[in-house]
Amino acid sequence: TNLHANLSGSLNQPGSSSIVLHERTAEEVDITLQVSSMTLMTPPRPGARQQTIVTELSFQLKTGASLLILGESGIGKSSLLRAIAGLWSDGCGSVSRCGGTSVFFMPQRPYMCLGTLREQLLYPHDDILGITSERMRSALVEVKLGYLLERHGFDAVQDWSGILSLGEQQRVNFARVLLQEDLQLAL
């Protein structure tokens, strides 16, 4: 899918409108993600003017399709993902996407909880049934982190954000994606 967005850094006055987020159920999903006429602005901050990040962005991503968003540092890629996640809503337009466990957000700095390697891999859904130790081991090997299992095992409590480099934390996050069975959208 090709996408061209008017990403900018223009200044605007704060507005009262907001981006509407609709989460679809699995039964409704033929289009995994649809953004309609989105104008995204930075959240208001005291003493600062809001900036427009994207203007009139519209696209849809059909189930099974991929989308890669590229751009220079600081242009607004992460801000766009925050809007799709529903974290930022200043602006106008709408976002319609699958919801629940079928969507997984992958920040640049993944969240690492204090706990076991097993809990890291299952986060944020530590109650996922049917995920075997063998399947978790395979996911670790696939993201080139098999050595973590050899060093720490699945059940030793660790401060993973202190032990792992940022690159290793990001690979743990990719292992989490590999373990999600009904995943339709990873951002």
Side-chain angles (χ1 to χ4, degrees):
T1 299
N2 291 326
L3 168 68
H4 175 69
N6 181 15
L7 295 174
S8 66
S10 64
L11 299 175
N12 284 315
Q13 295 295 331
S16 60
S17 58
S18 65
I19 298 167
V20 177
L21 174 64
H22 170 70
E23 288 190 353
R24 296 179 176 147
T25 64
E27 294 77 32
E28 296 177 283
V29 177
D30 179 34
I31 296 174
T32 303
L33 173 65
Q34 182 167 347
V35 174
S36 301
S37 302
M38 177 200 285
T39 295
L40 175 62
M41 299 173 71
T42 57
R45 295 181 316 201
R49 293 177 61 179
Q50 286 184 287
Q51 291 187 329
T52 300
I53 296 169
V54 65
T55 305
E56 289 296 314
L57 175 64
S58 293
F59 68 93
Q60 64 181 3
L61 188 64
K62 293 185 179 187
T63 302
S66 299
L67 173 67
L68 176 63
I69 301 172
L70 300 170
E72 295 177 22
S73 181
I75 198 72
K77 300 177 299 292
S78 294
S79 300
L80 178 60
L81 295 181
R82 287 182 191 107
I84 292 170
L87 298 174
W88 283 16
S89 61
D90 282 16
C92 60
S94 66
V95 174
S96 182
R97 63 167 170 80
C98 52
T101 60
S102 62
V103 64
F104 188 84
F105 293 95
M106 300 180 62
Q108 292 174 345
R109 182 171 292 278
Y111 177 71
M112 296 284 123
C113 58
L114 177 65
T116 67
L117 183 56
R118 182 182 314 276
E119 290 167 330
Q120 293 305 316
L121 293 170
L122 297 178
Y123 178 85
H125 309 289
D126 61 355
D127 59 347
I128 297 176
L129 300 175
I131 304 290
T132 64
S133 295
E134 178 57 30
R135 193 155 155 227
M136 287 186 280
R137 187 197 67 74
S138 294
L140 285 171
V141 168
E142 192 164 345
V143 298
K144 309 292 188 238
L145 290 176
Y147 59 87
L148 292 179
L149 188 54
E150 296 165 14
R151 289 182 192 165
H152 306 285
F154 277 125
D155 299 311
V157 175
Q158 301 286 345
D159 177 8
W160 296 98
S161 61
I163 291 174
L164 302 178
S165 71
L166 179 58
E168 288 170 321
Q169 291 176 39
Q170 290 169 339
R171 287 186 280 155
V172 166
N173 220 23
F174 276 103
R176 291 169 177 166
V177 168
L178 295 174
L179 293 170
Q180 303 294 319
E181 289 190 5
D182 62 347
L183 190 64
Q184 295 185 29
L185 182 62
L187 301 168

